[in-house]
């Protein structure tokens, strides 16, 4: 198994209401460790909705752009 580590580098709110929201999130990260590590990026759209107890939860996550094989 290869270790992937991502962090958010930028984001934008696409839409929002009192109980739903959608965001575009740009991720940067690292795949692998040591001298085999390489930088990777991904873009995801995340839909959120409020639960019955008023907490925001992820309702859907769609990967829009993912690392390509051999990218690095």
């Amino acid at each position: 198994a290869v270790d992937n580590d991502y962090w958010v580098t930028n984001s934008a709110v696409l839409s929002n209401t009192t109980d739903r929201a959608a965001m575009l999130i740009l991720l940067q990260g690292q795949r692998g460790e040591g001298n085999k590590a390489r930088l990777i990026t991904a873009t995801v759209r995340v839909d959120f909705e409020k639960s019955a107890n008023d907490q925001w939860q992820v309702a859907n996550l769609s990967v829009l752009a993912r690392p390509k094989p051999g990218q690095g």
Side-chain angles (χ1 to χ4, degrees), residues 20-50:
R20 295 184 182 275
M23 291 184 72
L24 183 64
I25 301 176
L26 300 139
L27 303 165
Q28 187 172 353
Q30 175 179 306
R31 174 174 287 160
E33 294 180 6
N35 63 352
K36 295 191 184 254
R38 62 183 188 177
L39 294 177
I40 54 177
T41 61
T43 305
V44 296
R45 178 194 164 113
V46 185
D47 297 318
F48 299 94
E49 58 186 36
K50 275 195 180 176

